[in-house]
Amino acid sequence: MNDAAPDHKDTVPDRQDTVPDRKGLAPDRQARAIRLGRRSIAALLLVSAVGVAAFGWPLLADSASGLAHSQDAPWLFAALLPLLLAVVVAAIADSGLDAKAVAMLGVLAAAGAALRPLGAGTAGIEPMFFLMVLSGRVLGPGFGFVLGSVSMFASALLTGGVGPWMPFQMLSMGWVAMGAGLLPGPDRLRGPREVLMLAGYGAAASLCYGTVMNLQGWPYIGSLATGVSFVPGDPVQENLARFVAYCLATSLGWDVPRAIVTVTATLTLGPTVLKALRRATRRAAFDAPATFTEPPRR
């Protein structure tokens, strides 16, 4: 008779994956693998400031400067790794980055690195973008930045794409995942509206990623002497006008397909992946305080 009794655990609905429709009944707060404190925010701002300077300094360089990312990329990479470590250390100091968060970081970074070779950047088909967006949304901006950077580093090692562009890709993907974690309504917005918001953000982030990566390489093709080439020493506004023309003429064919793939994957797989990520974070109990009790005495 006991075999026919239903399992109560299997019949309890998942409260954190749904939002009640009745007013006054608030949903459960979304768990964060890394909770941003003052140290974490300062570390993220420092990394982002270094990234903005690395991308934008050629626009302010004069015509006599020898521009080549093959020279400054190793220095940027050498600075980026300690700064990423600083983000992790700051997160540990603020909220305690435990082994569960490190394990989830490794699993998601490996999944992102495995997804990238599926498209290999052909015509902008890069399926890893939607996973970075959804992971950043669920796990927060701090975790998202570290995840995006580590995933791009791992995928570069996996595909042999190591070069002067790699530290810039790490920064750009970190910004993509971090931005998803900064979107509004992390605790209340669920369902189709959230998926549509993430799809729209994924499209915008895919286009911005291509634009930012163009800025990494565009100043160093001046030898082509075309109307869209960078001219060292020219006013910034004139070079920016050439840069817009360069993006429209060269990279739009890669950026738009990347955005389409990201939107399609988010709309079709997004609800399932979001539910799985939230269930994993709930089971990991990142927000639960560690308590120790004495064993019962015999």
Side-chain angles (χ1 to χ4, degrees), residues 55 65 73 149 186 193 266 279:
F55 277 104
S65 62
S149 301
R193 290 188 301 168
T266 302
R279 181 169 297 174

Side-chain angles (χ1 to χ4, degrees), residues 72-157:
D72 64 5
W75 294 103
L76 175 61
F77 183 69
L80 180 61
L81 290 183
L83 290 175
L84 287 176
L85 181 61
V87 174
V88 176
V89 171
I92 294 174
D94 284 337
S95 60
L97 184 65
D98 56 12
K100 295 174 292 185
V102 174
M104 183 167 287
L105 174 64
V107 170
L108 291 175
L115 282 174
R116 194 180 183 201
L118 296 180
T122 304
I125 300 175
E126 296 183 75
M128 73 176 295
F129 269 75
F130 96 98
L131 179 62
M132 297 296 104
V133 170
L134 298 184
S135 299
R137 169 66 173 177
V138 173
L139 295 165
F143 189 95
F145 182 85
V146 177
L147 173 63
S149 301
V150 173
S151 299
M152 191 59 72
F153 176 74
S155 67
L157 297 180

Side-chain angles (χ1 to χ4, degrees), residues 202-218:
S206 299
L207 295 172
C208 291
Y209 174 87
T211 302
V212 170
M213 286 306 300
N214 285 340
L215 186 59
Q216 171 263 329
W218 170 69

Side-chain angles (χ1 to χ4, degrees), residues 3 57 71 88 98-99 101 116 131 133 158 160 167-168 174 185 197 199 209 235 244 250 253 283 286 292:
D3 295 338
W57 74 265
Q71 297 177 7
V88 176
D98 56 12
R116 194 180 183 201
L131 179 62
V133 170
L158 183 63
F168 298 92
M197 180 185 69
Y209 174 87
V244 172
T250 60
R283 296 290 176 86
F286 294 118
F292 300 92

